[in-house]
Amino acid sequence: MPCDALYLHIPFCQRKCPYCDFYSVPATRAQIEAYTTALLRALQTCPYPLAPLNTVYFGGGTPLLLGAERIIQLLDLLRQRFQIAAAAEITLECNPHSFLKSELVRLQRAGVNRISLGMQSANDQQLQELGRLHTAQDVLIAAQAAREAGIPHLSLDLMLATPGQTKQDVLQAIQLCDRAGAEHVSAYLLKVEEGTPFAAAHIERRCPDEEQQADLYLYAVEMLAQYGYVQYEISNFARDGKTARHNLKYWNCQEYLGVGPSAHSYYAGKRFYFPRRLGEFVENSSVWSLVKQDGAGGSLAEYLMLRLRLNEGVIWEQLAERFPLYERSRLEARAKSLPSQLLTCDEAGLRLTPEGFLVSNAILGTLLDF
């Protein structure tokens, strides 16, 4: 299947959150101008053929810091260089405090049809501790601005197991998602990444312990379902089937191209990435020479690992189509040796339960020991 998914990394933030390990730097006007020029050059000289794009994802960082005019420039070039399918999903990550309705109106006219907002919590005190610059009310204001701008699809991020978080906090956040009219929620456990301010402060000492984390996660799954958000991946939930089409390409082990410092790609059976160095990306006139190879992709183990992130899991029929020489009997035997409350193995396929998602690494270690 031709590659039809593109990720553009926008490595700028107004202020970096203390838990964040994604590559980003403080934004200045000069850097934004230089980076936009470099990104346009990279797309214009891209050596990889792409099918008409089915998904385009502006991630970061905070992509909206580029401003509507520059984002529209990028979209215009994509239409000229690769084409964008009429029904493409075009996603822009945003922060609730940085919304300008006039910018959103222009972006909607240019084709942006999905906004992913970093809500994280509905508790203003917890938002401050997470280093966020918005309030719970700002989330509702931003969601309303997106609706009035005509952007039809809204996703909200929710962080679980943060310092002092209770089930009541989780419920209030889910209720805020509902009030905001979000059709998609990403609810993920806080991971204290090495090298971040949270790690330096040993914030994990103030976070819920493993048992409490599990309780909060399972409670979130239960309550999201009550509000109409159906789990379709370890950390992702959607109403009315409005799943994240771009991210599903990752989990289905399909090809995608990533452009920008730290952006990863899977193309023509190979994985590669750009180094996490903004200056190098901006200054090099032959930006594709910077790409670092990261080995082959699409192996059986990788496919199983990614598919088992999804609620539908591994479907035997699809597995046989992709790997016709693989005998699944050994995988079935190992799956059936594990507790049934963690995973289901039947005639349709193999899939984890919400309890299984919590210990997915251990389960994968058992299943994938070929």
Side-chain angles (χ1 to χ4, degrees):
M1 183 177 183
C3 181
D4 62 359
L6 180 69
Y7 172 83
L8 299 177
H9 189 70
I10 313 300
F12 301 115
C13 281
Q14 187 172 339
R15 184 177 73 187
K16 196 173 182 71
C17 298
Y19 55 81
C20 181
D21 188 43
F22 292 120
Y23 180 67
S24 65
V25 298
T28 66
R29 179 175 292 275
Q31 282 181 314
I32 287 173
E33 289 285 0
Y35 183 65
T36 303
T37 299
L39 202 51
L40 288 165
R41 181 171 62 240
L43 293 171
Q44 188 65 60
T45 61
C46 177
Y48 304 103
L50 296 175
L53 293 168
N54 178 260
T55 67
V56 179
Y57 195 104
F58 290 87
T62 308
L64 197 57
L65 287 177
L66 284 192
E69 183 176 347
R70 298 181 187 89
I71 294 169
I72 291 168
Q73 273 187 283
L74 291 164
L75 288 170
D76 286 345
L77 178 58
L78 292 179
R79 289 189 173 93
Q80 296 166 17
R81 181 77 169 79
F82 304 112
Q83 299 182 26
I84 298 178
E89 175 192 87
I90 303 178
T91 301
L92 185 72
E93 289 184 347
C94 303
N95 283 322
H97 70 275
S98 59
F99 261 58
L100 288 175
K101 183 180 172 184
S102 59
E103 295 270 282
L104 295 181
V105 169
R106 294 182 64 195
L107 289 167
Q108 187 274 335
R109 290 173 181 166
V112 173
N113 53 22
R114 187 172 183 270
I115 293 293
S116 178
L117 272 181
M119 178 188 77
Q120 312 308 358
S121 173
N123 182 307
D124 287 349
Q125 182 178 345
Q126 291 176 9
L127 284 169
Q128 287 186 353
E129 182 155 29
L130 290 171
R132 306 300 289 171
L133 296 173
H134 67 273
T135 65
Q137 184 62 28
D138 289 333
V139 174
L140 293 174
I141 293 171
Q144 180 68 19
R147 277 196 301 273
E148 291 177 355
I151 295 175
H153 306 303
L154 174 66
S155 177
L156 295 180
D157 289 349
L158 165 59
M159 192 174 287
L160 302 173
T162 59
Q165 188 182 60
T166 66
K167 287 184 177 180
Q168 183 61 30
D169 294 324
V170 172
L171 177 59
Q172 288 177 351
I174 293 170
Q175 290 171 334
L176 184 60
C177 293
D178 178 58
R179 288 173 59 199
E183 62 184 17
H184 187 279
V185 176
S186 294
Y188 52 95
L189 291 164
L190 169 65
K191 183 180 180 183
V192 181
E193 300 284 0
E194 187 176 345
T196 62
F198 265 15
H202 298 286
I203 201 75
E204 69 277 0
R205 296 172 183 170
R206 297 179 42 232
C207 291
D209 61 27
E210 285 190 14
E211 184 176 342
Q212 292 169 329
Q213 289 178 31
D215 285 346
L216 288 169
Y217 173 81
L218 294 174
Y219 179 75
V221 172
E222 177 186 357
M223 297 312 298
L224 281 162
Q226 287 194 23
Y227 280 83
Y229 297 100
V230 177
Q231 186 176 33
Y232 70 96
E233 191 266 349
I234 289 178
S235 302
N236 286 275
F237 306 77
R239 282 174 167 168
D240 303 320
K242 299 297 193 310
T243 55
R245 282 161 47 190
H246 184 83
N247 289 344
L248 275 170
K249 291 181 184 291
Y250 301 153
W251 302 319
N252 282 317
C253 208
Q254 294 174 323
E255 292 189 348
Y256 58 93
L257 189 68
V259 186
S262 82
H264 285 243
S265 299
Y266 170 43
Y267 187 98
K270 296 180 180 179
R271 294 196 178 272
F272 50 91
Y273 63 94
F274 285 94
R276 294 164 63 108
R277 293 191 287 272
L278 174 63
E280 192 174 65
F281 188 90
V282 167
E283 294 163 10
N284 197 310
S285 60
S286 181
V287 69
W288 292 97
S289 66
L290 301 174
V291 165
K292 305 295 183 184
Q293 298 300 316
D294 201 24
S299 67
L300 173 63
E302 186 177 78
Y303 176 80
L304 293 174
M305 178 183 69
L306 291 169
R307 285 289 307 183
L308 285 171
R309 292 182 61 92
L310 297 169
N311 266 42
E312 67 177 11
V314 175
I315 298 172
W316 298 135
E317 184 177 355
Q318 294 176 3
L319 181 67
E321 288 176 3
R322 187 154 183 157
F323 301 97
L325 300 180
Y326 176 65
E327 292 286 342
R328 76 185 200 216
S329 56
R330 184 165 51 169
L331 182 62
E332 286 182 292
R334 289 183 174 181
K336 289 176 179 177
S337 72
L338 291 166
S340 60
Q341 68 266 30
L342 300 180
L343 78 171
T344 300
C345 183
D346 56 25
E347 292 182 0
L350 173 64
R351 52 204 174 274
L352 300 183
T353 65
E355 291 80 5
F357 284 142
L358 282 166
V359 290
S360 59
N361 287 341
I363 292 174
L364 288 168
T366 297
L367 294 176
L368 305 183
D369 184 19
F370 292 112

